Amino acid sequence: MSPFPDASPKAIVQLIPPPFRSPAEIVVDHIQHGTFQRSMALLVCSTSLISGMEVGYEHYRGSFSNPIMYTPILLSGVLAAAGGAGFFSRRAAQTVMRWASFVTLADGLIGFGFHIRGIARKPGGWRLPVFNLVMGPPVFAPLLFGTSAYLGVIASYLQREEDHGWKGKTIDAVKTATTLRKPDWREDIRVGRFQKHLCVVTAIGTVCSGGEAWYSHYKDNFKYRVQWSPVLLTPILAGAALWSLRSKRAANTVLPVASALAMLNGVVGTGYHIRGILRRPGGRKKPLYNTLYGPPIFAPMLFAACGMLGMMAYLMRRERS
Amino acid sequence: MAPQKVQTKRLPVTDPLDGAPIQLDQPGYYEGFSTLSQQAYWDDATRKVVLQRMTAAHPILFFTPAEAATMAAVLDRILPQEDRTAARRIALLPPLDDRLFHNRIEGYRYEDMPSDQDAYRQAAKAFEQMAQTACGRSFHELETMEQETLLQSLHAEKPTAPEDAWKGINIKRFWALLVSDCCSAYYAHPWAWDEIGFGGPAYPRGYMRLEEGQPEPWEVDEQRYQWAAPADTLTDTPASEQTGEKVQSQAGQGGTH
Amino acid sequence: MSLFDRNKPLFGSFGKPKDGLHHLGPLQQIKPPQRVFRDDEEIDYLIVGVGSAGGVLLQRLARAGFKVAGFEAGPFWDTERDWVSDETGSHNLYWNDLRITGGTDPLALGNNNSGKGVGGGSVHWAAFTPRFHPSDFEVYTQDGVGADWPITYEEIEPYYQLLEQELPVAGPAWYPWGKPHGHPYGPHPMGGVGDTLIDGCTKLGIGVSAGGPVAILSASRGDRPHCIYRGFCIQACKVGAKASTLVTHVPDALEHGAEVRDNSMVSRISVKDGRVDGVHYFDRDGNERFQRAKAVIVSGYAIETPRLLLNSACAGHENGLANSSGTLGKYLMAQAGNVILGRFDQPVRMYKAPPAHALTEEFYETDPKRDFARGFAVQTVGPLPIAFAKQMSVAKNQWGWGLRRTMMDYNHWSALGLLGEILPWKDNTVELADGKGGRPEARDRYGLPVAKVTFNLHDNDTKLIEFGKNKTMEIMRAAGATEVVQEARYAHLVGGARMSKRPEDGVCDKFGRTWDVPNLFVMDGSVMPTQGSANPGLTIQALAARTADYLISQGSAVFTANGRDLTSPPCRHSLSPPGTFTKGIPHLR
Ligand SMILES: Cc1cc2nc3c(=O)[nH]c(=O)nc-3n(C[C@H](O)[C@H](O)[C@H](O)COP(=O)(O)OP(=O)(O)OC[C@H]3O[C@@H](n4cnc5c(N)ncnc54)[C@H](O)[C@@H]3O)c2cc1C
Ligand code: SF4
């Protein structure tokens, strides 16, 4: 017997007081069997709206000085619509939403390339790595922008809520077992067995988002001590996610704790950022300008989103192999 | 916001006990700040110009030795440097001499002023005459206070005798010229930038912390202390308080916007 | 933290540019100017002065296929080799040759007004680019003072829009003053001084524009990088983020076959049979030469333009070329540019960020409640140490230890600039210091009489300055300054060869064509009849682009005919430098 109490999602759910227990059980059950395509589609829709707004104002700040800067904004609109469609239609989820997500993901990668080049073209280029990283195009932003597209890809391979059968024997799972299709990553997603996969993504996302937090707070001279918090949480969450690759126990313990902290941190951070905007000269009398150049309002949310990915990983089943 | 912190770690320029001047390599509130330490980040053309300013030897070519002695003493009172160690004083006369010798003018002359060269020659003579008339000694041999008193009278546009020493010169304009030449020499020097906490040249690397006076990673936070000028000076109080009347100075000259 | 304490960039100190190319910023490189016209080759348009106006004219006319050459008294800058980020080291950007200044309120010249070298004043301007207001074009009609322009706001408006895209101008999406409009590039972040202005204005309920309008890149654009907020704009922008015709228009002009003849000082315009046939000039070695041309455009700045025309006096034009109206060199204007300085308990570090980045035009128009006509703007300025020391020696009347003490607080001071409209007066003049008629005598190294500038404030001006100064001090105090002082100053010389509806009121018509000589044009700040309280640079360039359109519409008629066609040309969008319309934000025009 392990000296630790069982901290798997199923066990934790049992700790929830009765009136709330059953909905929680249902949620966990759906997640563990990959039958949450519609909820995921809705999530894709809302996150791409938010990230569309974010690149919108970031690229406005960059004056759209290259027409390609419009693409992420257009694509996030498309993806939001596709997510909406995916909520209503299985077909849409497996076609439009999937394609839109892949294209957006590719756009994020291209954007990453452009941002690296943008830094190279600043005076001093990469020979002034810190200065130009801080003052140049935010290098990780295009990758983070890809988060909602990534969720879209995942969603497009999931099963729908209505596919959920009795006690984990979902219709498709039964079908798979009988057809003996070669289980690849898509199959893993379909049946809700992609914990390790999500852990990898969580780790990458956390490093990127934490990296942004580090250099933007560095730009601000770490004026408040609390600005260190996302920077300190980054290795914890990323470490937990990577550790979870090897250890199921880590996935059931440190991972959810670190993820919860990151989500909390993101919420608190958003509050601080809003306060920061209001405290700028002109405050609420210059709402647009101060949002543009005040603390980035969506950035802490992105960090929280990484926490959310980690939390999802925790709730997920591990890959079979 | 937090009130200013007054630090007492660094001492005032004069020893509070015996009033003797205490000399520092780097006066000002930015101990440890060095713009020169950042020169690898400057572009080549700028680095060359700044380093040459610090090292080039400037023989005095325009002023005669006597004029040079007077003018050096005058410049030392316009921007005194007794709080700096001898090795860290910024030469003021050589850049002025160089400018006049090579006729590098600011692009204009006031209608009621002679050329810069003539104005300075006459002024050197006039300072000497004022010193002789008032104290019977050469200007550069006078006590600090005596020199300041004479300069103060010029600043107030009522130079002490002799009457015609300043004839043909608009004193207000000459004063502005004199102070501005001193400022141009002193505040062009990296040591002066260190003293006042100015970041110095900035290309290719620019600035990232634009607001709230935040220092760049390589700049230094201000460390304030109770800076005091030497006790025996007239010039540390505002002019209006010295003379009891408001001196109307002329319009400024630098371009801004 | 060793990564940040390093005292060197990766791979060691930044070195010299190694290639043999001519640099216009870190990325933009061109081959040195190629084309050279022979002296006896008759070129179509000879432009005197490749500055704000001259650069635009050169580019437009070259694109339209004319044979054009720009004669420039100063050098063709290589920004990597010639420019430095240092105050004293930038002395040679200015017109430093002798001028005489006088009057009751003499203007400081030199680094306070004009440039010398390709790009002219646009090399050292702070790049504030507000438009004039519609009311500026009819000051006399509205207020009974000053003069009316021979054109309306509507006529110049398309050129404002065009130039705002070509430079391009960064600023807020909604600019409420004058005729409201937006900007093609997004606003800039604030530096300490901008925060002062925003803070002070919002506390007093005064509208204020943050982050522009300035002709400084708030994002990279082709081979011009984003501003690096180094604050050396007035010392010329090595980054190439700040617009100057040297980087915005001249490269395109060379590309299209224009010649820039640098270090060539035009000394006299030659007239034969009532028409201009070329110019005399001193080449880089000081030899006097003559260049033939079918038409000449003088774009030499509000002082050098009248001076050159006065120096070109000849039989039939005894009082100066194109001066039958007697207005040449008269109605010179400068704006009141008082600098208001405030000390804050917390550090500001005003040397960071471009000096130009926020302004208010809330007081721009005539207000019947005030006892003077017209108004003023309040803008950010960010003096570097030497400029600041000089300002403090004046504003606080300090020297000696007092000045040293004040300077140690450099980082605690913030500075705002007043920009007040001074009306055109006949007794504000540019004359020749030729020793005649009671004028002093002074000559330059070529033996040419230098300009003598006379400037006197009048009653309306004094009242306006007093009011504007106090208002700016109020803003400074509202922002939290504990000590506020000010220094009087003037900025931006324009006028001196003004355009007019009727030949007897000015030197040139609304396209800059002189009333007296059909193939002689004036096009730069000197054509302005009034000046508003907006910085003149954008308007100068817009006027130049409009004149270019006119000349192109006129075709070869300018070279042969003596008639005067005053129909307005269409605004051409096909002559802009490449990339003008593919970059930037869709905005309210
Ligand atoms: C410190 C400072 C800040 C400024 N900031 C702003 C600002 O923020 N916004 C703004 O709008 N304006 C600003 N200005 C004003 C602006 O720079 C000028 O109004 C503008 O550049 C004038 O344009 P121009 O075409 O009339 O002359 P210039 O641009 O000065 O061009 C004239 C050119 O002609 C050449 N030239 C003259 N005579 C001859 C000759 N005889 N032969 C050959 N060449 C000759 C000169 O060398 C020069 O290059 C600023 C000015 C200064 C001094
Ligand atoms: S502040 Fe910007 S525009 Fe001004 S000189 Fe620096 S980089 Fe150029």
Side-chain angles (χ1 to χ4, degrees), chain A residues 217 220-230 272 275-276 279 295, chain B residues 1 212 214:
Chain A
H217 289 169
D220 206 27
N221 203 9
F222 286 101
K223 207 162 43 191
Y224 305 104
R225 219 167 304 160
V226 59
Q227 289 177 318
W228 284 103
S229 63
Y272 273 116
R275 191 184 74 157
R279 281 189 173 181
Chain B
M1 290 195 185
E212 302 184 3
Q214 295 281 348

Side-chain angles (χ1 to χ4, degrees), chain A residues 207-266:
Chain A
V207 168
C208 291
S209 166
E212 291 221 305
W214 168 73
Y215 69 67
S216 7
H217 289 169
Y218 174 67
K219 175 178 181 185
D220 206 27
N221 203 9
F222 286 101
K223 207 162 43 191
Y224 305 104
R225 219 167 304 160
V226 59
Q227 289 177 318
W228 284 103
S229 63
V231 180
L232 295 178
L233 269 176
T234 298
I236 296 177
L237 179 54
L242 292 178
W243 189 13
S244 301
L245 287 180
R246 314 230 350 241
S247 149
K248 190 168 174 185
R249 158 138 319 119
N252 276 337
T253 50
V254 262
L255 182 62
V257 173
S259 302
L261 284 179
M263 286 161 76
L264 182 69
N265 189 265

Side-chain angles (χ1 to χ4, degrees), chain A residues 63 65 121 127 285-286 289 293, chain C residues 12 186-188 202 208 220 222:
Chain A
S63 300
S65 62
R121 284 168 64 86
R127 290 182 63 191
K285 284 190 191 154
K286 290 243 149 236
Y289 185 84
Y293 280 112
Chain C
H188 281 275
T202 41
V208 54
S220 64

Side-chain angles (χ1 to χ4, degrees), chain A residues 147 150 154 196-207 241 306 309:
Chain A
T147 309
Y150 166 75
I154 295 287
K196 291 191 197 169
H197 168 151
L198 259 186
C199 282
V200 173
V201 176
T202 304
I204 298 177
T206 308
V207 168
C306 295
L309 282 179

Side-chain angles (χ1 to χ4, degrees), chain A residues 44-212:
Chain A
V44 169
C45 177
S46 51
T47 51
S48 45
L49 281 180
I50 293 187
S51 51
M53 263 158 29
E54 189 191 10
V55 276
Y57 88 71
E58 287 284 355
H59 281 185
Y60 170 69
R61 225 165 74 156
S63 300
F64 294 99
S65 62
N66 185 336
I68 202 171
M69 293 162 80
Y70 286 108
T71 57
I73 298 172
L74 295 178
L75 282 175
S76 52
V78 170
L79 188 57
F87 176 76
F88 291 108
S89 141
R90 182 192 300 263
R91 242 182 95 82
Q94 289 178 351
T95 53
V96 191
M97 185 166 78
R98 185 175 298 166
W99 301 330
S101 302
F102 274 117
V103 173
T104 310
L105 213 48
D107 193 59
L109 287 177
I110 296 174
F112 184 48
F114 267 103
H115 282 211
I116 290 179
R117 171 175 170 269
I119 292 176
R121 284 168 64 86
K122 287 187 79 71
W126 281 101
R127 290 182 63 191
L128 296 175
V130 176
F131 181 78
N132 283 338
L133 204 64
V134 169
M135 295 304 280
V139 70
F140 297 129
L143 293 182
L144 291 168
F145 168 76
T147 309
S148 62
Y150 166 75
L151 291 178
V153 170
I154 295 287
S156 79
Y157 288 108
L158 288 173
Q159 304 173 69
R160 294 178 85 71
E161 277 77 346
E162 54 267 34
D163 299 340
H164 199 76
W166 176 245
K167 283 277 172 204
K169 293 267 182 295
T170 56
I171 304 159
D172 275 45
V174 174
K175 209 163 71 192
T176 319
T178 53
T179 54
L180 286 173
R181 227 196 300 163
K182 197 171 158 255
D184 65 356
W185 60 275
R186 280 168 288 200
E187 194 51 34
D188 283 342
I189 294 176
R190 217 169 63 84
V191 298
R193 284 183 171 276
F194 55 111
Q195 184 174 60
K196 291 191 197 169
H197 168 151
L198 259 186
C199 282
V200 173
V201 176
T202 304
I204 298 177
T206 308
V207 168
C208 291
S209 166
E212 291 221 305

